Amino acid sequence: MSWTKKILRVNLTKGTCTSEPLNMDWAYKYIGQRGLATKYLIEEIDPRVDPLSPDNKLIFATGPLTGTAASTSARYSVITKGPLTGAIACSNSGGYFGAELKSAGWDMIILEGKAAGPVYLHIENDQASLLDASPLWGTSTWHTEEWIKNTHQDPMMRVASVGIAAENGVLYSAVVNDLHRAAGRSGVGTVMASKNLKAVCVRGTLGIGVRDPKAFMEAATKAKKVLAENAVTSVGLPTHGTQVLMNVINEVGALPTRNAADVQFEGASDISAEAMREVRRTDGKTNLIANQACFGCTIACGRVSKIDQTHYTIVNKPEYWHASGGLEYEAAWALGAATGVNDLEALTYANFICNEQAIDPITFGATLGAAMELYEDGLITDEETGGVKLNIGSAEALTTMVELTGKAEGFGKVLGLGSKRLCEKYGKPELSMSVKGLEFPAYDPRGIQGIGLNYATSNRGACHVRGYTVASEILGIPEKTDPLVTDGKAGLVKAFQDATAAVDSAGICLFTTFAWSLEDIAPQVDAACDGEWTVETMLEAGERIWNMERQFNLAAGFTGKDDTLPKRLLKDAAKTGPAKGLVSGLDKMLPEYYQVRGWSTDGVPTADTLGRLGL
Amino acid sequence: MQKALAIDAGKCTGCKQCELACSFEHEGIFNVVRSRIRVFIFEEEARFVPYTCTQCDQAWCMQVCPVGAITSDPMSGVKSVNAATCVGCKVCTIACPFGTINYNAGSGKVEKCDLCGGDPACARECPTDAITFIDAGLAGYAKMQDWAARTDTAPQAAS
């Protein structure tokens, strides 16, 4: 406890499902979820494997707190070698699927090989089998979930699936569960589809026990009180969602706009949290209709929206008139600011399609932003786009291209490559706003210096949820640092990265850390699990996980040279706002970062560091 | 004073902390399928509705039980199942118009909300006050107050 201590191993080539005991030595070192599954992956695959070959593996993993009464206990992750990046991929999702998997008695599912034809994995507690998914191939995640629930006559079943994009090789396909929660980044869904696996559905009725129930409930209740008394987690996030950031980040001049040509977007307020709550003139309703919690979450930041029925995107499509997942900040930024589009309803529609067809809105939006720049420069022609004018700021270009990418048709196939391959194809690799092949999200490193170092060194490629220094640099959590300076950022980035690895691995949501520190989390893990879990042991596990991921990437062929940022951020100064005149000072931070990490000057963990961490 | 669970679905976010708390209180583990309160999620309308036994005064489940396994506490009004007496015939599950008493194949008995002996765990753990435990006679008070606040008395004053 609170691991189930069981792994489900599914060999898709042979069609077998077998149970095996969890390696508890590894559990004590890597906690669960992100850390523990990465350990399994590294032990079992060749780091140089082609991510889309049957030799790559795909792991669905829960953490020790997943499914318990700890707040935000919904989380599970999908771990594999990512096809977009060739780096370690670990994408985290909420909803209800993860808790259901744990309640069925499994800490993780390891999927290996490749099925001869389309299949889906059906799990009912300890019974698991592969079933024919040919009726589902070529259909969306929304259809897949409905079909599976109807076929098994079980509305309580939880489903995680891939859409048409993944089947057709869009390199940033997600795994979507519960209709609009996604393991979004790095193309984990593309790997799933490459194995001919359309969906995993699960029904769990066994429940989840903890080591010391009384101590656990005390720790969980105390920690929930901390969330309830914190302004961000009790008011800001439930009211506005992560979209609370749109106007804030724009104000501080760190909103990457039009493929990061600018750092402020004049249309930011049109696509902000506040705009989602405004009554529309057209139909007298608001875009946002509710906030929704994931399993066990006492924050409830999730957005649920309805698109304006008179909007051109859906006026003749009643199938999109229902409520579904609304815009989170990263999606609103990518679909809006990165493309220069300020039409909130068009963005919401694009977000619906990203969920329906399971594509990562961050990479899609950033890739479209790059394509728009190439189009305006005359490098992409109307002939290639099928006549669609890809002008910067065109809502019609956004909504047409998201449909085409979701189905991997026409120019959508090219956009499905991601910005790195797209920009290389047109001879302008420097226009891809990516690190290690992964597009960076909604914070510009010229205006928030620490986040640039985090992007450059993040193991899955540029990513905010690997070391969210924005909390400190902009929001003052746990303490305020100056976003415009590089001093002290190396240590700050390391601290955020290590703590985040521990939080992810516990099976809870990173958003708790707007209010919680490991002081609030460790007692919950300790009461739930065997072993000794303190702030120190969790931080050490976090650092161990970070270095393990780094070692995988080095073995996969990455070097310190890949710890960099797009030239635009390093050479072209911010034109407006508080960061006007600044570029990213990555060169000032990176050597110190290697030093505080205990790595060599070219970014390789030293023998001492590996020894200290037991690697 | 009898107390009752007052449910305001408009405040519910679908987090299921009530289900986790209920199953933990009664089973000692976290298992939402064993919860006696359920949150129904209507995705297409984004409605989240907690639902459980209302402890009917003339309880159908109690009236039909052939072995008298369901009894009413005169002070609290709670209808509870005496597991030692219950024979698992399930007639109460047919009689209950609301579906809030259910059979557990594991134990061979029926289960229903017992208000946790006077301190319902669901109400205690609900983070948004969608579920509260209040004077049964005042269950509609908050709604009345809400509607009263919306009543426009100005036209009468003007005329």
Side-chain angles (χ1 to χ4, degrees):
Chain A
M1 298 200 210
S2 179
W3 300 279
T4 67
K5 303 187 181 177
K6 270 170 57 192
I7 291 176
L8 176 62
R9 187 176 293 276
V10 178
N11 188 307
L12 292 150
T13 309
K14 295 180 191 156
T16 55
C17 300
T18 48
S19 170
E20 58 185 66
L22 184 71
N23 184 323
M24 288 309 296
D25 290 340
W26 292 353
Y28 295 133
K29 283 179 82 172
Y30 302 98
I31 309 175
Q33 225 228 43
R34 171 177 161 190
L36 190 53
T38 303
K39 174 65 178 169
Y40 270 91
L41 187 80
I42 289 176
E43 291 291 331
E44 296 192 13
I45 69 166
D46 176 350
R48 293 196 174 257
V49 71
D50 170 358
L52 298 179
S53 79
D55 292 335
N56 191 11
K57 297 193 184 187
L58 183 76
I59 304 179
F60 284 64
T62 66
L65 294 184
T66 306
T68 69
S71 188
T72 76
S73 66
R75 313 307 295 188
Y76 78 100
S77 276
V78 182
I79 294 94
T80 187
K81 179 174 175 177
L84 187 67
T85 58
I88 189 76
C90 170
S91 296
N92 190 307
S93 180
Y96 303 97
F97 176 87
E100 196 78 19
L101 177 61
K102 181 90 171 280
S103 197
W106 305 104
D107 286 318
M108 58 176 91
I109 312 168
I110 300 179
L111 296 141
E112 52 195 31
K114 177 181 180 176
V119 293
Y120 68 100
L121 175 62
H122 174 255
I123 302 171
E124 209 170 314
N125 293 338
D126 55 350
Q127 300 296 311
S129 55
L130 291 164
L131 303 173
D132 178 22
S134 15
L136 295 172
W137 208 253
T139 71
S140 73
T141 65
W142 291 357
H143 173 266
T144 297
E145 178 160 336
E146 189 184 4
W147 186 93
I148 288 177
K149 285 178 171 175
N150 287 342
T151 300
H152 292 275
Q153 299 184 334
D154 188 350
M156 307 284 284
M157 188 158 264
R158 301 300 178 187
V159 181
S161 64
V162 294
I164 300 171
E167 296 169 14
N168 293 303
V170 169
L171 287 173
Y172 44 90
S173 299
V175 174
V176 166
N177 58 281
D178 303 295
L179 303 174
H180 50 83
R181 307 308 308 184
R185 304 219 70 193
S186 304
V188 295
T190 319
V191 174
M192 181 157 153
S194 78
K195 300 186 171 304
N196 278 331
L197 180 65
K198 180 69 180 177
V200 177
C201 63
V202 59
R203 184 81 160 90
T205 62
L206 303 175
I208 296 154
V210 287
R211 182 182 63 78
D212 182 341
K214 190 167 172 284
F216 177 78
M217 283 309 262
E218 276 171 21
T221 301
K222 194 173 157 201
K224 274 183 266 193
K225 199 158 173 274
V226 174
L227 296 176
E229 288 169 356
N230 178 285
V232 177
T233 49
S234 74
V235 181
L237 285 172
T239 308
H240 292 308
T242 53
Q243 271 274 64
V244 71
L245 288 164
M246 183 62 75
N247 286 323
V248 175
I249 301 300
N250 193 48
E251 286 290 309
V252 301
L255 190 70
T257 299
R258 291 175 281 269
N259 204 33
D262 296 295
V263 295
Q264 288 183 309
F265 180 38
E266 65 286 353
S269 66
D270 301 333
I271 60 169
S272 66
E274 292 79 356
M276 290 169 73
R277 301 180 77 91
E278 266 169 36
V279 175
R280 293 184 289 236
R281 268 184 231 157
T282 44
D283 66 351
K285 296 174 182 164
T286 56
N287 175 286
L288 180 79
I289 59 165
N291 63 316
Q292 182 172 8
C294 294
F295 185 94
C297 176
T298 58
I299 302 173
C301 74
R303 302 292 90 186
V304 187
S305 287
K306 275 190 186 177
I307 303 167
D308 178 354
Q309 285 181 19
T310 67
H311 193 259
Y312 77 88
T313 48
I314 65 160
V315 67
N316 293 317
K317 293 181 187 168
E319 65 270 32
Y320 295 104
W321 290 0
H322 60 78
S324 193
L327 292 165
E328 313 291 336
Y329 172 58
E330 305 300 332
W333 162 79
L335 302 169
T339 61
V341 177
N342 70 338
D343 178 341
L344 182 69
E345 303 302 318
L347 266 55
T348 308
Y349 174 73
N351 198 57
F352 275 30
I353 301 297
C354 285
N355 287 328
E356 185 186 22
Q357 296 303 353
I359 53 179
D360 170 11
I362 299 180
T363 287
F364 168 74
T367 302
L368 182 60
M372 284 172 159
E373 183 167 354
L374 291 165
Y375 178 84
E376 298 260 358
D377 290 348
L379 293 165
I380 293 174
T381 63
D382 282 343
E383 197 183 339
E384 286 171 283
T385 64
V388 181
K389 306 222 171 294
L390 282 196
N391 295 106
I392 292 170
S394 164
E396 204 177 323
L398 169 73
T399 55
T400 306
M401 286 303 151
V402 77
E403 288 170 357
L404 290 175
T405 307
K407 293 185 175 172
E409 289 171 358
F411 194 69
K413 270 187 217 159
V414 183
L415 291 173
L417 297 169
S419 70
K420 180 169 176 276
R421 290 168 179 82
L422 176 103
C423 293
E424 279 167 0
K425 178 179 154 77
Y426 291 98
K428 292 275 187 183
E430 70 277 11
L431 290 187
S432 166
M433 295 302 125
S434 63
V435 178
K436 300 183 178 77
L438 192 68
E439 291 72 12
F440 66 76
Y443 312 90
D444 197 298
R446 290 166 292 199
I448 308 175
Q449 293 287 328
I451 203 73
L453 176 62
N454 173 63
Y455 287 166
T457 57
S458 160
N459 288 319
R460 73 170 184 181
C463 170
H464 57 302
V465 288
R466 283 298 174 274
Y468 193 69
T469 59
V470 177
S472 166
E473 298 182 271
I474 302 299
L475 306 172
I477 302 168
E479 54 195 36
K480 186 80 171 76
T481 52
D482 184 346
L484 301 179
V485 306
T486 55
D487 286 353
K489 296 298 164 66
L492 187 75
V493 168
K494 176 182 182 292
F496 269 87
Q497 289 175 340
D498 292 350
T500 300
V503 172
D504 286 345
S505 301
I508 53 171
C509 179
L510 185 60
F511 292 177
T512 57
T513 59
F514 287 115
W516 287 355
S517 70
L518 286 175
E519 301 269 359
D520 302 288
I521 297 166
Q524 299 184 75
V525 178
D526 192 58
C529 299
D530 297 331
E532 193 187 331
W533 298 101
T534 61
V535 172
E536 292 72 30
T537 57
M538 290 203 63
L539 259 186
E540 190 189 59
E543 188 179 5
R544 183 180 297 125
I545 292 160
W546 191 268
N547 279 272
M548 168 176 68
E549 293 172 339
R550 175 76 176 185
Q551 281 185 292
F552 176 86
N553 283 351
L554 293 173
F558 289 94
T559 69
K561 289 197 177 67
D562 298 299
D563 297 338
T564 187
L565 291 172
K567 207 161 76 183
R568 181 164 279 176
L569 306 179
L570 300 171
K571 302 284 181 203
D572 302 350
K575 294 174 200 157
T576 60
K580 188 175 176 184
L582 283 182
V583 294
S584 165
L586 179 66
D587 56 333
K588 297 186 197 77
M589 299 181 281
L590 192 62
E592 189 190 345
Y593 174 83
Y594 284 170
Q595 204 175 7
V596 296
R597 277 245 168 258
W599 294 355
S600 69
T601 50
D602 53 357
V604 179
T606 63
D608 276 358
T609 300
L610 296 177
R612 176 171 62 78
L613 295 169
L615 284 165
Chain B
M1 177 186 77
Q2 279 192 15
K3 292 181 83 176
L5 289 171
I7 291 174
D8 182 350
K11 292 181 179 169
C12 178
T13 62
C15 78
K16 295 179 178 278
Q17 279 284 345
C18 55
E19 298 186 9
L20 287 161
C22 179
S23 68
F24 182 78
E25 185 78 20
H26 294 96
E27 314 292 335
I29 60 170
F30 303 110
N31 190 358
V32 295
V33 299
R34 296 296 304 282
S35 172
R36 291 118 193 249
I37 185 167
R38 291 296 182 91
V39 179
F40 290 87
I41 295 171
F42 303 95
E43 285 279 355
E44 301 216 331
E45 291 301 319
R47 291 174 62 230
F48 319 110
V49 186
Y51 204 78
T52 190
C53 173
T54 55
Q55 317 292 342
C56 312
D57 192 36
Q58 305 286 318
W60 280 268
C61 61
M62 185 171 70
Q63 309 275 359
V64 299
C65 180
V67 294
I70 298 170
T71 53
S72 177
D73 179 83
M75 291 302 287
S76 65
V78 171
K79 311 297 176 295
S80 39
V81 179
N82 183 338
T85 313
C86 173
V87 295
C89 72
K90 312 178 200 65
V91 171
C92 55
T93 68
I94 300 166
C96 173
F98 310 107
T100 52
I101 184 162
N102 284 289
Y103 179 66
N104 175 0
S107 63
K109 313 286 180 184
V110 294
E111 296 169 347
K112 68 179 287 300
C113 170
D114 58 4
L115 295 178
C116 298
D119 180 21
C122 55
R124 206 168 58 224
E125 296 298 332
C126 177
T128 61
D129 288 340
I131 306 166
T132 50
F133 191 52
I134 60 169
D135 181 343
L138 293 177
Y141 190 82
K143 270 185 212 162
M144 281 173 71
Q145 189 177 40
D146 188 30
W147 282 104
R150 291 190 230 176
T151 304
D152 185 0
T153 54
Q156 284 126 309
S159 65

